[in-house]
Amino acid sequence: MLMNILFSYKMLRAYTACCRSFCQELKLPQTALDILLFLANNPSLNTARDIVEVRKIKANLVSVNVDRLAQEGYLERRSVPGDRRKAYLVCTEKAQPIIRRGQEIQAEFQEQLFAGVDAELREKFHRVIASVEDNLDAMLREG
């Protein structure tokens, strides 16, 4: 049985709802917060292209929000040796309190998501997800 398409939709809506008041407090759009947290949580994925490809955020939204975050001092662009068109995105010290609170919200969201699920079942779930991810990697290698 395929997972219901509504599952991912509901999860995204619930996550966005958990972040809403923080984004309003910061006067930042959800996409800007998502970019900061993506960069902080995935240090090896540090370009706008990585954000577009992995997070599936439209390129124009990434561009606009990266510009805004850079102008407000939350991100720095660092040139990539040998490719003048490409830049690494680095979270600044100013962004760290936002990142810490955002990660706390992510942890709270995960706890709410797994409320009522005992440790053994959580562990099984994580093993199943790891196995499915391995299968996906194999499928992608095979083309």
Side-chain angles (χ1 to χ4, degrees), residues 3-22:
M3 282 183 27
N4 187 327
I5 190 87
L6 290 177
F7 178 82
S8 58
Y9 172 73
K10 288 176 185 178
M11 183 146 41
L12 181 59
R13 284 197 53 212
Y15 176 72
T16 300
C18 287
C19 296
R20 186 171 292 120
S21 64
F22 186 51

PDB file of all heavy atoms in Angstrom, residues 3-22:
ATOM      1  N   MET A   3       1.861   5.129   0.697  1.00  0.00           N
ATOM      2  CA  MET A   3       1.487   6.094   1.730  1.00  0.00           C
ATOM      3  C   MET A   3       0.521   7.109   1.136  1.00  0.00           C
ATOM      4  O   MET A   3       0.648   7.506  -0.016  1.00  0.00           O
ATOM      5  CB  MET A   3       2.727   6.811   2.264  1.00  0.00           C
ATOM      6  CG  MET A   3       3.488   5.947   3.220  1.00  0.00           C
ATOM      7  SD  MET A   3       4.937   6.642   4.022  1.00  0.00           S
ATOM      8  CE  MET A   3       4.762   8.336   4.130  1.00  0.00           C
ATOM      9  N   ASN A   4      -0.413   7.499   1.909  1.00  0.00           N
ATOM     10  CA  ASN A   4      -1.387   8.482   1.502  1.00  0.00           C
ATOM     11  C   ASN A   4      -0.682   9.805   1.209  1.00  0.00           C
ATOM     12  O   ASN A   4       0.117  10.274   2.019  1.00  0.00           O
ATOM     13  CB  ASN A   4      -2.412   8.636   2.623  1.00  0.00           C
ATOM     14  CG  ASN A   4      -3.573   9.507   2.262  1.00  0.00           C
ATOM     15  OD1 ASN A   4      -3.445  10.465   1.499  1.00  0.00           O
ATOM     16  ND2 ASN A   4      -4.716   9.171   2.809  1.00  0.00           N
ATOM     17  N   ILE A   5      -0.977  10.412   0.074  1.00  0.00           N
ATOM     18  CA  ILE A   5      -0.358  11.679  -0.315  1.00  0.00           C
ATOM     19  C   ILE A   5      -0.661  12.775   0.699  1.00  0.00           C
ATOM     20  O   ILE A   5       0.119  13.710   0.872  1.00  0.00           O
ATOM     21  CB  ILE A   5      -0.799  12.099  -1.741  1.00  0.00           C
ATOM     22  CG1 ILE A   5       0.009  13.278  -2.251  1.00  0.00           C
ATOM     23  CG2 ILE A   5      -2.263  12.468  -1.780  1.00  0.00           C
ATOM     24  CD1 ILE A   5       1.268  12.897  -2.915  1.00  0.00           C
ATOM     25  N   LEU A   6      -1.760  12.642   1.408  1.00  0.00           N
ATOM     26  CA  LEU A   6      -2.112  13.652   2.395  1.00  0.00           C
ATOM     27  C   LEU A   6      -1.170  13.656   3.595  1.00  0.00           C
ATOM     28  O   LEU A   6      -1.068  14.660   4.295  1.00  0.00           O
ATOM     29  CB  LEU A   6      -3.555  13.460   2.859  1.00  0.00           C
ATOM     30  CG  LEU A   6      -4.630  13.783   1.823  1.00  0.00           C
ATOM     31  CD1 LEU A   6      -6.008  13.477   2.391  1.00  0.00           C
ATOM     32  CD2 LEU A   6      -4.539  15.223   1.375  1.00  0.00           C
ATOM     33  N   PHE A   7      -0.475  12.553   3.832  1.00  0.00           N
ATOM     34  CA  PHE A   7       0.437  12.473   4.977  1.00  0.00           C
ATOM     35  C   PHE A   7       1.494  13.574   4.912  1.00  0.00           C
ATOM     36  O   PHE A   7       1.688  14.321   5.867  1.00  0.00           O
ATOM     37  CB  PHE A   7       1.095  11.088   5.035  1.00  0.00           C
ATOM     38  CG  PHE A   7       2.078  10.934   6.158  1.00  0.00           C
ATOM     39  CD1 PHE A   7       1.645  10.638   7.442  1.00  0.00           C
ATOM     40  CD2 PHE A   7       3.435  11.090   5.933  1.00  0.00           C
ATOM     41  CE1 PHE A   7       2.553  10.496   8.488  1.00  0.00           C
ATOM     42  CE2 PHE A   7       4.345  10.951   6.972  1.00  0.00           C
ATOM     43  CZ  PHE A   7       3.896  10.660   8.249  1.00  0.00           C
ATOM     44  N   SER A   8       2.188  13.675   3.785  1.00  0.00           N
ATOM     45  CA  SER A   8       3.251  14.680   3.673  1.00  0.00           C
ATOM     46  C   SER A   8       2.666  16.094   3.687  1.00  0.00           C
ATOM     47  O   SER A   8       3.256  17.015   4.257  1.00  0.00           O
ATOM     48  CB  SER A   8       4.106  14.456   2.433  1.00  0.00           C
ATOM     49  OG  SER A   8       3.323  14.493   1.271  1.00  0.00           O
ATOM     50  N   TYR A   9       1.493  16.254   3.081  1.00  0.00           N
ATOM     51  CA  TYR A   9       0.815  17.548   3.093  1.00  0.00           C
ATOM     52  C   TYR A   9       0.473  17.969   4.527  1.00  0.00           C
ATOM     53  O   TYR A   9       0.748  19.102   4.941  1.00  0.00           O
ATOM     54  CB  TYR A   9      -0.442  17.466   2.231  1.00  0.00           C
ATOM     55  CG  TYR A   9      -1.334  18.681   2.306  1.00  0.00           C
ATOM     56  CD1 TYR A   9      -0.964  19.878   1.699  1.00  0.00           C
ATOM     57  CD2 TYR A   9      -2.545  18.624   2.977  1.00  0.00           C
ATOM     58  CE1 TYR A   9      -1.786  20.995   1.774  1.00  0.00           C
ATOM     59  CE2 TYR A   9      -3.371  19.723   3.051  1.00  0.00           C
ATOM     60  CZ  TYR A   9      -2.986  20.918   2.451  1.00  0.00           C
ATOM     61  OH  TYR A   9      -3.807  22.012   2.531  1.00  0.00           O
ATOM     62  N   LYS A  10      -0.090  17.042   5.292  1.00  0.00           N
ATOM     63  CA  LYS A  10      -0.455  17.341   6.678  1.00  0.00           C
ATOM     64  C   LYS A  10       0.788  17.625   7.520  1.00  0.00           C
ATOM     65  O   LYS A  10       0.773  18.520   8.373  1.00  0.00           O
ATOM     66  CB  LYS A  10      -1.214  16.167   7.296  1.00  0.00           C
ATOM     67  CG  LYS A  10      -2.621  16.009   6.771  1.00  0.00           C
ATOM     68  CD  LYS A  10      -3.260  14.765   7.381  1.00  0.00           C
ATOM     69  CE  LYS A  10      -4.620  14.496   6.809  1.00  0.00           C
ATOM     70  NZ  LYS A  10      -5.209  13.264   7.380  1.00  0.00           N
ATOM     71  N   MET A  11       1.842  16.875   7.281  1.00  0.00           N
ATOM     72  CA  MET A  11       3.064  17.086   8.059  1.00  0.00           C
ATOM     73  C   MET A  11       3.626  18.481   7.775  1.00  0.00           C
ATOM     74  O   MET A  11       4.016  19.190   8.705  1.00  0.00           O
ATOM     75  CB  MET A  11       4.113  16.013   7.764  1.00  0.00           C
ATOM     76  CG  MET A  11       5.321  16.206   8.630  1.00  0.00           C
ATOM     77  SD  MET A  11       6.245  14.785   9.196  1.00  0.00           S
ATOM     78  CE  MET A  11       6.317  13.719   7.858  1.00  0.00           C
ATOM     79  N   LEU A  12       3.664  18.876   6.523  1.00  0.00           N
ATOM     80  CA  LEU A  12       4.166  20.200   6.165  1.00  0.00           C
ATOM     81  C   LEU A  12       3.296  21.302   6.770  1.00  0.00           C
ATOM     82  O   LEU A  12       3.813  22.284   7.316  1.00  0.00           O
ATOM     83  CB  LEU A  12       4.251  20.353   4.644  1.00  0.00           C
ATOM     84  CG  LEU A  12       4.775  21.692   4.140  1.00  0.00           C
ATOM     85  CD1 LEU A  12       6.180  21.962   4.665  1.00  0.00           C
ATOM     86  CD2 LEU A  12       4.767  21.724   2.626  1.00  0.00           C
ATOM     87  N   ARG A  13       1.983  21.133   6.699  1.00  0.00           N
ATOM     88  CA  ARG A  13       1.074  22.136   7.286  1.00  0.00           C
ATOM     89  C   ARG A  13       1.259  22.232   8.797  1.00  0.00           C
ATOM     90  O   ARG A  13       1.276  23.330   9.357  1.00  0.00           O
ATOM     91  CB  ARG A  13      -0.371  21.799   6.951  1.00  0.00           C
ATOM     92  CG  ARG A  13      -0.705  22.140   5.505  1.00  0.00           C
ATOM     93  CD  ARG A  13      -2.169  22.217   5.207  1.00  0.00           C
ATOM     94  NE  ARG A  13      -2.850  23.116   6.132  1.00  0.00           N
ATOM     95  CZ  ARG A  13      -4.113  22.942   6.517  1.00  0.00           C
ATOM     96  NH1 ARG A  13      -4.821  21.935   6.056  1.00  0.00           N
ATOM     97  NH2 ARG A  13      -4.687  23.787   7.341  1.00  0.00           N
ATOM     98  N   ALA A  14       1.408  21.099   9.459  1.00  0.00           N
ATOM     99  CA  ALA A  14       1.588  21.101  10.919  1.00  0.00           C
ATOM    100  C   ALA A  14       2.917  21.754  11.292  1.00  0.00           C
ATOM    101  O   ALA A  14       2.996  22.539  12.243  1.00  0.00           O
ATOM    102  CB  ALA A  14       1.511  19.676  11.456  1.00  0.00           C
ATOM    103  N   TYR A  15       3.972  21.443  10.532  1.00  0.00           N
ATOM    104  CA  TYR A  15       5.285  22.036  10.794  1.00  0.00           C
ATOM    105  C   TYR A  15       5.230  23.547  10.600  1.00  0.00           C
ATOM    106  O   TYR A  15       5.733  24.313  11.438  1.00  0.00           O
ATOM    107  CB  TYR A  15       6.345  21.407   9.872  1.00  0.00           C
ATOM    108  CG  TYR A  15       7.696  22.048  10.016  1.00  0.00           C
ATOM    109  CD1 TYR A  15       8.475  21.835  11.146  1.00  0.00           C
ATOM    110  CD2 TYR A  15       8.205  22.881   9.024  1.00  0.00           C
ATOM    111  CE1 TYR A  15       9.712  22.429  11.293  1.00  0.00           C
ATOM    112  CE2 TYR A  15       9.440  23.478   9.152  1.00  0.00           C
ATOM    113  CZ  TYR A  15      10.192  23.250  10.284  1.00  0.00           C
ATOM    114  OH  TYR A  15      11.422  23.845  10.427  1.00  0.00           O
ATOM    115  N   THR A  16       4.602  23.980   9.532  1.00  0.00           N
ATOM    116  CA  THR A  16       4.475  25.412   9.258  1.00  0.00           C
ATOM    117  C   THR A  16       3.702  26.098  10.385  1.00  0.00           C
ATOM    118  O   THR A  16       4.061  27.197  10.819  1.00  0.00           O
ATOM    119  CB  THR A  16       3.791  25.639   7.893  1.00  0.00           C
ATOM    120  OG1 THR A  16       4.582  25.020   6.880  1.00  0.00           O
ATOM    121  CG2 THR A  16       3.638  27.111   7.572  1.00  0.00           C
ATOM    122  N   ALA A  17       2.664  25.455  10.867  1.00  0.00           N
ATOM    123  CA  ALA A  17       1.885  26.011  11.974  1.00  0.00           C
ATOM    124  C   ALA A  17       2.740  26.147  13.229  1.00  0.00           C
ATOM    125  O   ALA A  17       2.624  27.137  13.962  1.00  0.00           O
ATOM    126  CB  ALA A  17       0.660  25.141  12.257  1.00  0.00           C
ATOM    127  N   CYS A  18       3.614  25.186  13.477  1.00  0.00           N
ATOM    128  CA  CYS A  18       4.505  25.246  14.639  1.00  0.00           C
ATOM    129  C   CYS A  18       5.493  26.407  14.535  1.00  0.00           C
ATOM    130  O   CYS A  18       5.911  26.965  15.551  1.00  0.00           O
ATOM    131  CB  CYS A  18       5.279  23.933  14.788  1.00  0.00           C
ATOM    132  SG  CYS A  18       4.277  22.571  15.382  1.00  0.00           S
ATOM    133  N   CYS A  19       5.868  26.770  13.324  1.00  0.00           N
ATOM    134  CA  CYS A  19       6.853  27.834  13.098  1.00  0.00           C
ATOM    135  C   CYS A  19       6.221  29.218  12.978  1.00  0.00           C
ATOM    136  O   CYS A  19       6.928  30.233  13.073  1.00  0.00           O
ATOM    137  CB  CYS A  19       7.638  27.555  11.818  1.00  0.00           C
ATOM    138  SG  CYS A  19       8.644  26.069  11.867  1.00  0.00           S
ATOM    139  N   ARG A  20       4.923  29.269  12.767  1.00  0.00           N
ATOM    140  CA  ARG A  20       4.248  30.523  12.400  1.00  0.00           C
ATOM    141  C   ARG A  20       4.537  31.677  13.361  1.00  0.00           C
ATOM    142  O   ARG A  20       4.928  32.764  12.927  1.00  0.00           O
ATOM    143  CB  ARG A  20       2.751  30.299  12.274  1.00  0.00           C
ATOM    144  CG  ARG A  20       1.998  31.527  11.751  1.00  0.00           C
ATOM    145  CD  ARG A  20       0.545  31.232  11.416  1.00  0.00           C
ATOM    146  NE  ARG A  20       0.518  30.338  10.260  1.00  0.00           N
ATOM    147  CZ  ARG A  20      -0.038  29.120  10.267  1.00  0.00           C
ATOM    148  NH1 ARG A  20      -0.606  28.661  11.357  1.00  0.00           N
ATOM    149  NH2 ARG A  20      -0.018  28.374   9.187  1.00  0.00           N
ATOM    150  N   SER A  21       4.345  31.477  14.651  1.00  0.00           N
ATOM    151  CA  SER A  21       4.510  32.604  15.587  1.00  0.00           C
ATOM    152  C   SER A  21       5.969  33.065  15.638  1.00  0.00           C
ATOM    153  O   SER A  21       6.235  34.268  15.755  1.00  0.00           O
ATOM    154  CB  SER A  21       3.990  32.252  16.983  1.00  0.00           C
ATOM    155  OG  SER A  21       4.752  31.217  17.548  1.00  0.00           O
ATOM    156  N   PHE A  22       6.909  32.137  15.515  1.00  0.00           N
ATOM    157  CA  PHE A  22       8.327  32.510  15.503  1.00  0.00           C
ATOM    158  C   PHE A  22       8.646  33.342  14.263  1.00  0.00           C
ATOM    159  O   PHE A  22       9.323  34.366  14.352  1.00  0.00           O
ATOM    160  CB  PHE A  22       9.204  31.255  15.582  1.00  0.00           C
ATOM    161  CG  PHE A  22      10.673  31.529  15.709  1.00  0.00           C
ATOM    162  CD1 PHE A  22      11.167  32.400  16.669  1.00  0.00           C
ATOM    163  CD2 PHE A  22      11.581  30.894  14.876  1.00  0.00           C
ATOM    164  CE1 PHE A  22      12.536  32.648  16.783  1.00  0.00           C
ATOM    165  CE2 PHE A  22      12.937  31.123  14.985  1.00  0.00           C
ATOM    166  CZ  PHE A  22      13.411  32.002  15.944  1.00  0.00           C
TER     167      PHE A  22
END
